[in-house]
Amino acid sequence: MLSASRRTLKSVPRSVRGLASLSRDSKVHQNLLEDFSYIQYKKNLENVNIVKERLNRPLTYAEKLLYGHLDNPHEQDIERGVSYLKLRPDRVACQDATAQMAILQFMSAGMPQVATPSTVHCDHLIQAQVGGAKDLKRAIDLNKEVFDFLASACAKYNLGFWKPGSGIIHQIVLENYAFPGALLIGTDSHTPNAGGLGQLAIGVGGADAVDVMANLPWELKAPKIIGVKLTGKMSGWTSPKDIILKLAGITTVKGGTGAIVEYFGDGVDTFSCTGMGTICNMGAEIGATTSVFPFNKSMTEYLDATGRSEIAQFAQLYQKDFLSADEGCEYDQVIEIDLNTLEPHINGPFTPDLATPVSKMKETAIANDWPLEVKVGLIGSCTNSSYEDMTRSASIIKDAAAHGLKSKSIFTISPGSEQVRATIARDGQLQTFEDFGGVVMANACGPCIGQWDRQDVKKGDKNTIVSSFNRNFTARNDGNPATHAFVASPDMVTAYAISGDLGFNPITDTLKDSEGNEFKLAEPKGVGLPPNGYDKGENTYQAPPADRASVNVVIEPTSDRLQKLTPFKPWDGKDAERLPILIKAVGKTTTDHISMAGPWLKYRGHLENISNNYMIGAINAENGEANNVKNHYTGEYKGVPDTAADYRDAGRKWVVIGDENFGEGSSREHAALEPRFLGGFAIITKSFARIHETNLKKQGLLPLNFVNVADYDKINPDDEIDIVGLTELTPGKNLVMRVHPKNGDAWETELSHTYNSEQIEWFKYGSALNKMAAN
């Protein structure tokens, strides 16, 4: 790893041109770190005008950004919710856990370098244990092989590399790479964070990233557009996080599936760019393709503060015709939220869409027997670690400290980036947190993704934690299925840490100071941008070298962390007959259930090893247990991956039966690679989450849905399955599933799919990568 060096306080733009010297034909760089990537507003606008003429209707902001990146705007079929769009993203971003498999796939494509600007960010492999510096050193030592692989592969194939300690991918993208009007794809489900800077940022699996790196157009089903109208202005304890917490309660975790959420209304101009990023980040929890805010003054101010004034000025030249929605544009659905009356919300436990306003929290918690004692309060993460978030939280703590109080709960802080950490260290907020009893973690994901060596409770102990994170599935943060995890704003997390009580309402309730006198916490006060500018802190960026030919990428054959990929076998050209059901999963089956994170992250570059966690968190409908299924042929009960491997080694394909919104959550393509490696053939569900469905297709598996969802209940785990009609697989034509019960007559039902013609070729070739190699 390269050693770190201190960066200067202010970024210096390449050119010091004023707005008057910029024209709509100017060549403006996308960022301050690359000399080869330029903003293509003129081309984007040309595409938009072609599409507008064809459709003869006004376009929403999201549509302009999407259609502005079409590969062939003259001939592209465009119908929301129906057409598959061919797009040309501006760039690709990968986090270290998913980058390993993405780069391994790219290497197998045999190209000398990436064709689209790309970066890798080391943020997932750093476990929170005792504190930032020690945890970072430990992670670098433990993961040296992986970090060295990623650093050398980035150098070899012309990708930017952000070393461990730099911060979380989404914050680094917002601070350095995001710009209004862009289209970015990222191998993480919370990539939409950059929508707070007026661009489309979409989470994808690694195989999609490889397509774009290899100069292939990226395919996306044309999203519907959900308009969220914001009116009024927030005040007091309400913050931008409460907008998305409220929205999640309205839409549920699948209400945004297949749609982009576009915010509009006068309320949009009343809060910060980083606050908009928070909202877009957590839009992933409602299943949205992405979320976006229109270009506005807050974004200009943020670009100025991060040394990118020229980009802001260039965007202003295109604001009227490209970077704004057309008057009279229509949304497929409109939801209105009044910011004047919006209360702070707390969402959870166990799902991010169970929304409770703070005024109802105490009675709701008591009625549901949720533990009222808050054991841990956690602020930060990619969702809520802006300078504004930190200053608001620090103001609450200072007020409590003035009354002689410290945190009753364990209190942790996960800075989103080295830039934020260095700035709050300089400006005093970090010291405020530490004086309060807080533990400052590394600039990394940490507890948000299960990278948390929690020691204060035993596994199985029922307890409550509250975080400013984005996701709170069962056992996600600490591996304890009995932990009741709630998500809220940093303000509310801080208030809960001070009170130690989930039923505490800082708007109405009082606390007792060190002398026993009652007082109310003052409303939080924060600053959107640092008055003295950002301190960039340590330089943790590695640019690709000029001479890349001499760089070697080494993977040791004996490594248990990294493994070169072997192509999957193509389809045999026959209908599938008498396939056993590996597991009939019941209830919520997220990507955390399918391919757990936490301690398994270390195997993300080794398909054989990571496959040992396949579906170990899913609940078996037969016995209500996790990771305990019966072998269809021997009757023996074993773990899910063990049974799958037994079927594979005996030459038997198998299927999984799943419930609603199967595969919601992370973008991790391991949840699709693992069943393919273990011999799976089809995943049959009531419905899929978008990214997981695409990932399954990319790896040559069949994602199929019950046409009649009630037929899910008729399936028994010991049935055998035929899938009929594969030899005539065509877009829009259903397949037939013939079910052979252990006792009784066979019966049939229809299965739908969302394949287009090109995706069918992925299935036939055995994977999208096989198809790419064949071409």
Side-chain angles (χ1 to χ4, degrees):
M1 307 298 297
L2 298 181
S3 61
S5 61
R6 192 107 186 140
R7 284 184 285 177
T8 56
L9 181 64
K10 304 275 190 179
S11 292
V12 180
R14 288 188 180 80
S15 58
V16 193
R17 296 184 295 196
L19 178 59
S21 66
L22 280 176
S23 75
R24 284 162 64 106
D25 294 322
S26 295
K27 291 186 70 174
V28 175
H29 288 90
Q30 290 184 12
N31 55 73
L32 304 175
L33 298 167
E34 299 166 346
D35 60 5
F36 53 83
S37 57
Y38 295 92
I39 296 174
Q40 303 291 331
Y41 285 156
K42 188 173 183 179
K43 174 63 176 173
N44 299 147
L45 183 57
E46 288 172 357
N47 285 2
V48 167
N49 288 335
I50 292 167
V51 171
K52 285 180 70 172
E53 186 174 342
R54 290 180 55 204
L55 298 182
N56 193 30
R57 64 172 175 82
L59 301 180
T60 70
Y61 183 76
E63 284 185 302
K64 285 187 176 182
L65 272 54
L66 202 61
Y67 305 153
H69 289 83
L70 285 172
D71 184 50
N72 185 352
H74 289 282
E75 298 179 5
Q76 173 71 63
D77 289 334
I78 300 174
E79 183 180 353
R80 289 181 189 169
V82 177
S83 307
Y84 279 88
L85 307 178
K86 296 284 191 179
L87 301 162
R88 291 286 181 178
D90 293 296
R91 64 184 311 109
V92 179
C94 306
Q95 40 96 333
D96 49 357
T98 51
Q100 296 169 61
M101 199 59 70
I103 287 177
L104 287 167
Q105 291 178 85
F106 179 79
M107 289 169 62
S108 67
M111 296 185 68
Q113 70 174 59
V114 294
T116 303
S118 304
T119 51
V120 169
H121 305 259
C122 295
D123 61 1
H124 272 55
L125 299 179
I126 302 167
Q127 186 186 56
Q129 195 173 65
V130 295
K134 291 182 178 179
D135 291 348
L136 179 59
K137 183 181 184 305
R138 178 172 173 269
I140 291 173
D141 291 342
L142 285 174
N143 300 293
K144 184 178 186 303
E145 177 186 6
V146 172
F147 292 147
D148 286 351
F149 163 72
L150 292 174
S152 60
C154 286
K156 181 72 173 178
Y157 297 108
N158 204 32
L159 293 85
F161 179 67
W162 289 84
K163 291 177 277 188
S166 59
I168 305 172
I169 176 173
H170 312 305
Q171 292 305 308
I172 299 297
V173 167
L174 194 72
E175 293 169 359
N176 295 276
Y177 297 107
F179 63 89
L183 174 62
L184 171 145
I185 62 170
T187 60
D188 189 280
S189 58
H190 294 109
T191 297
N193 187 83
L197 202 40
Q199 71 162 76
L200 295 184
I202 302 175
V204 299
D208 277 350
V210 172
D211 282 353
V212 177
M213 290 177 182
N215 204 31
L216 295 176
W218 173 56
E219 186 177 77
L220 176 72
K221 192 171 188 178
K224 293 187 176 182
I225 312 294
I226 298 174
V228 177
K229 184 178 182 180
L230 303 180
T231 59
K233 185 177 182 178
M234 292 174 286
S235 61
W237 285 86
T238 304
S239 75
K241 182 67 164 283
D242 298 304
I243 295 174
I244 186 60
L245 294 174
K246 172 76 172 177
L247 184 63
I250 295 170
T251 63
T252 77
V253 291
K254 61 180 183 178
T257 302
I260 292 175
V261 177
E262 178 176 321
Y263 292 87
F264 70 103
D266 57 29
V268 162
D269 296 321
T270 62
F271 55 97
S272 67
C273 170
T274 53
M276 296 175 197
T278 291
I279 294 166
C280 293
N281 178 297
M282 198 174 161
E285 306 318 315
I286 65 171
T289 300
T290 192
S291 303
V292 67
F293 281 82
F295 177 53
N296 64 11
K297 183 181 177 182
S298 293
M299 298 177 194
T300 294
E301 292 169 349
Y302 185 76
L303 287 167
D304 288 344
T306 50
R308 295 176 288 169
S309 297
E310 188 174 60
I311 294 175
Q313 294 167 358
F314 195 43
Q316 289 167 9
L317 296 177
Y318 281 88
Q319 186 163 12
K320 289 185 178 180
D321 46 7
F322 178 49
L323 297 176
S324 59
D326 288 334
E327 186 175 349
C329 67
E330 295 184 357
Y331 300 95
D332 295 285
Q333 177 186 357
V334 174
I335 299 169
E336 294 193 28
I337 297 177
D338 179 9
L339 303 185
N340 290 323
T341 59
L342 180 64
E343 280 188 74
H345 277 62
I346 303 91
N347 287 26
F350 309 123
T351 183
D353 60 350
L354 183 57
T356 306
V358 65
S359 61
K360 303 289 185 184
M361 192 62 195
K362 185 173 183 177
E363 63 183 84
T364 303
I366 292 171
N368 288 281
D369 195 28
W370 298 337
L372 288 176
E373 181 188 2
V374 177
K375 290 286 190 180
V376 189
L378 309 98
I379 66 168
S381 84
C382 66
T383 319
N384 275 113
S385 61
S386 67
Y387 187 79
E388 181 178 35
D389 291 328
M390 297 295 104
T391 55
R392 284 175 66 94
S393 178
S395 78
I396 301 168
I397 291 171
K398 283 184 176 181
D399 183 45
H403 291 86
L405 300 186
K406 288 195 173 186
S407 181
K408 283 189 177 180
S409 309
I410 295 171
F411 187 68
T412 71
I413 305 95
S414 298
S417 71
E418 169 61 6
Q419 176 169 283
V420 168
R421 185 212 61 79
T423 305
I424 63 174
R426 180 198 67 196
D427 292 351
Q429 292 87 8
L430 210 60
Q431 189 63 53
T432 298
F433 295 142
E434 291 175 339
D435 292 344
F436 179 60
V439 179
V440 180
M441 300 297 187
N443 310 326
C445 302
C448 184
I449 61 164
Q451 282 283 51
W452 184 19
D453 184 18
R454 188 180 179 192
Q455 299 292 330
D456 65 293
V457 297
K458 295 178 182 177
K459 189 171 183 178
D461 286 354
K462 187 176 178 181
N463 73 100
T464 284
I465 65 173
V466 187
S467 79
S468 67
F469 304 161
N470 44 38
R471 192 167 283 165
N472 59 343
F473 300 145
T474 302
R476 176 177 172 85
N477 300 124
D478 61 1
N480 181 5
T483 292
H484 290 53
F486 297 84
V487 291
S489 68
D491 307 346
M492 289 303 303
V493 174
T494 305
Y496 284 135
I498 293 167
S499 67
D501 180 9
L502 188 64
F504 176 67
N505 181 352
I507 300 172
T508 59
D509 297 346
T510 60
L511 296 169
K512 287 187 177 181
D513 65 18
S514 57
E515 297 179 355
N517 300 312
E518 291 191 352
F519 76 100
K520 283 177 65 174
L521 287 171
E523 293 179 349
K525 291 184 174 10
V527 181
L529 297 167
N532 297 319
Y534 283 106
D535 184 332
K536 289 183 169 293
E538 300 298 321
N539 184 5
T540 53
Y541 175 67
Q542 172 190 298
D547 177 16
R548 293 182 289 104
S550 60
V551 177
N552 292 316
V553 181
V554 179
I555 301 174
E556 296 294 339
T558 57
S559 173
D560 69 346
R561 301 288 302 273
L562 299 164
Q563 181 185 52
K564 289 185 177 180
L565 297 175
T566 301
F568 295 127
K569 292 181 180 179
W571 173 53
D572 63 10
K574 303 175 183 176
D575 285 344
E577 297 181 349
R578 295 283 182 169
L579 305 185
I581 297 171
L582 174 65
I583 182 173
K584 179 183 178 182
V586 63
K588 186 184 283 285
T589 308
T590 71
T591 47
D592 281 343
H593 295 91
I594 300 169
S595 177
M596 286 186 175
W600 291 95
L601 286 170
K602 66 181 180 181
Y603 296 125
R604 285 285 181 87
H606 197 292
L607 181 54
E608 183 176 358
N609 285 343
I610 192 72
S611 294
N612 289 319
N613 80 355
Y614 180 60
M615 291 288 280
I616 64 175
I619 301 302
N620 183 3
E622 179 194 15
N623 53 22
E625 298 179 11
N627 201 29
N628 188 23
V629 296
K630 182 170 67 175
N631 186 301
H632 183 74
Y633 303 102
T634 68
E636 181 183 7
Y637 280 88
K638 295 171 76 173
V640 179
D642 298 318
T643 303
D646 288 344
Y647 291 157
R648 177 198 61 197
D649 295 345
R652 300 182 185 276
K653 302 169 187 172
W654 47 262
V655 303
V656 164
I657 305 296
D659 213 319
E660 293 273 7
N661 208 29
F662 190 89
E664 71 171 278
S666 165
S667 69
R668 66 192 70 150
E669 66 179 335
H670 301 79
L673 281 160
E674 292 173 33
R676 187 72 167 96
F677 176 79
L678 291 169
F681 187 75
I683 313 294
I684 303 165
T685 73
K686 292 181 180 179
S687 63
F688 283 100
R690 174 189 64 87
I691 300 177
H692 185 57
E693 181 181 32
T694 301
N695 286 344
L696 290 168
K697 291 178 183 178
K698 287 275 186 177
Q699 302 307 334
L701 281 147
L702 285 169
L704 306 171
N705 289 320
F706 293 100
V707 171
N708 180 8
V709 295
D711 287 337
Y712 166 89
D713 296 318
K714 294 168 63 176
I715 300 287
N716 294 309
D718 56 2
D719 292 344
E720 292 181 339
I721 303 297
D722 298 346
I723 300 177
V724 181
L726 292 174
T727 56
E728 300 175 351
L729 181 61
T730 53
K733 183 178 181 181
N734 291 343
L735 298 171
V736 172
M737 178 172 72
R738 184 178 299 121
V739 182
H740 300 275
K742 187 175 183 180
N743 300 302
D745 296 331
W747 56 278
E748 294 183 351
T749 187
E750 288 192 40
L751 300 176
S752 64
H753 63 84
T754 60
Y755 279 97
N756 62 25
S757 297
E758 183 174 336
Q759 293 170 345
I760 290 171
E761 293 298 296
W762 301 344
F763 169 67
K764 291 179 178 179
Y765 276 81
S767 72
L769 199 60
N770 287 358
K771 173 64 175 172
M772 183 194 298
N775 288 342

